[in-house]
Amino acid sequence: MRVIRLAITPSTQDVARRLPVGSAVVADHQTSGRGRLGRAWDSPPGASLLASFVLPFRDLALFAAGVAAARACGPEVRLKWPNDLYVEGQKLAGLLAERHGDRCVVGIGINLSWAPEGAAMLDRDREELLADLAGELEDWFGATDEAILGAWRERSMTLGSWVRIELDGDRFEGLAEAIENDGALIVGGRRVTVGDVVHLRPAPPLAAG
Ligand code: BTN
């Protein structure tokens, strides 16, 4: 992976989108970092891993990236549908996958030495984490859909939870029952492909024996 390092940039996503597959952009600080659904992603300089990777596009890109990032961050990390990494109920990191033709720019922001109120941090060396992440992304973007979804479901904190789905002009509650083969979440029998998921009650622990 060819890594471009920047001190400051509006968003690593916008630098990466002009680069070929196999490139990555890392910044100490972003002035217009963005998240899913057009939200801002802000953090103080040097406090997070802010990176964008250029990968071959695939339909399950966000899910492959989620599994890769969770594995790079550690065994305690859980995945919240569709793009968040959590530790002990607190958000640690967010992912953003943006398609550009046959390429996909996967952006990730991981809180290292600072986190917003109520969010988690990871006590890891940034360069080491970047190298682990690059390796995992390469592996998981080469994996089958079945392997990706299997690994995603295993690490999911959403499946089995009672959730509220918030869509433009609509909201409903239900049990997060399944993740379909295209990544859609099934809540109370309804297919969810966009919107926000609020976890209301966690999945019950697995029965012993
Ligand atoms: C989210 O939680 O909604 C996704 C957040 C993604 C943030 C990362 S930081 C690096 C890359 N550059 C951006 O502007 N966004 C992503």
Side-chain angles (χ1 to χ4, degrees):
M1 178 125 343
R2 181 170 162 260
V3 183
I4 294 177
R5 291 184 165 75
L6 303 170
I8 185 165
T9 187
S11 164
T12 54
Q13 292 292 102
D14 295 333
V15 182
R17 65 178 288 172
R18 294 189 285 270
L19 301 175
V21 167
S23 313
V25 179
V26 186
D28 291 335
H29 188 45
Q30 297 183 125
T31 51
S32 306
R34 61 175 178 272
R36 188 170 163 260
L37 306 173
R39 295 185 181 128
W41 181 270
D42 295 322
S43 60
S48 322
L49 174 60
L50 306 169
S52 297
F53 299 84
V54 189
L55 293 150
F57 176 79
R58 62 180 297 166
D59 287 333
L60 290 177
L62 191 55
F63 294 84
V67 172
R71 288 175 58 94
C73 288
E76 68 284 8
V77 173
R78 292 286 164 266
L79 290 161
K80 174 173 178 273
W81 189 93
N83 69 319
D84 290 333
L85 277 68
Y86 270 65
V87 176
E88 291 173 358
Q90 296 186 315
K91 181 162 171 169
L92 170 70
L95 288 161
L96 182 66
E98 295 177 328
R99 183 178 186 173
H100 299 284
D102 58 358
R103 294 169 308 134
C104 177
V105 176
V106 170
I108 182 161
I110 306 177
N111 305 323
L112 297 180
S113 57
W114 171 91
E117 177 97 35
M121 294 188 286
L122 191 67
D123 184 17
R124 283 280 298 277
D125 176 76
R126 191 165 62 153
E127 285 302 311
E128 204 182 282
L129 184 56
L130 176 68
D132 288 353
L133 192 52
E136 293 286 352
L137 283 167
E138 199 171 312
D139 288 351
W140 286 94
F141 269 71
T144 62
D145 286 1
E146 291 70 24
I148 291 166
L149 288 169
W152 206 100
R153 290 177 183 119
E154 259 173 41
R155 284 192 174 247
S156 169
M157 64 182 276
T158 302
L159 281 177
S161 296
W162 190 263
V163 298
R164 183 171 66 237
I165 303 299
E166 299 182 346
L167 303 159
D168 271 352
D170 186 21
R171 52 168 56 191
F172 63 95
E173 288 184 16
L175 183 69
E177 291 158 9
I179 292 174
E180 294 200 322
N181 290 342
D182 63 352
L185 181 66
I186 304 300
V187 176
R190 287 172 70 172
R191 245 177 85 83
V192 180
T193 56
V194 289
D196 267 334
V197 178
V198 180
H199 284 229
L200 300 174
R201 283 201 299 279
L206 293 175

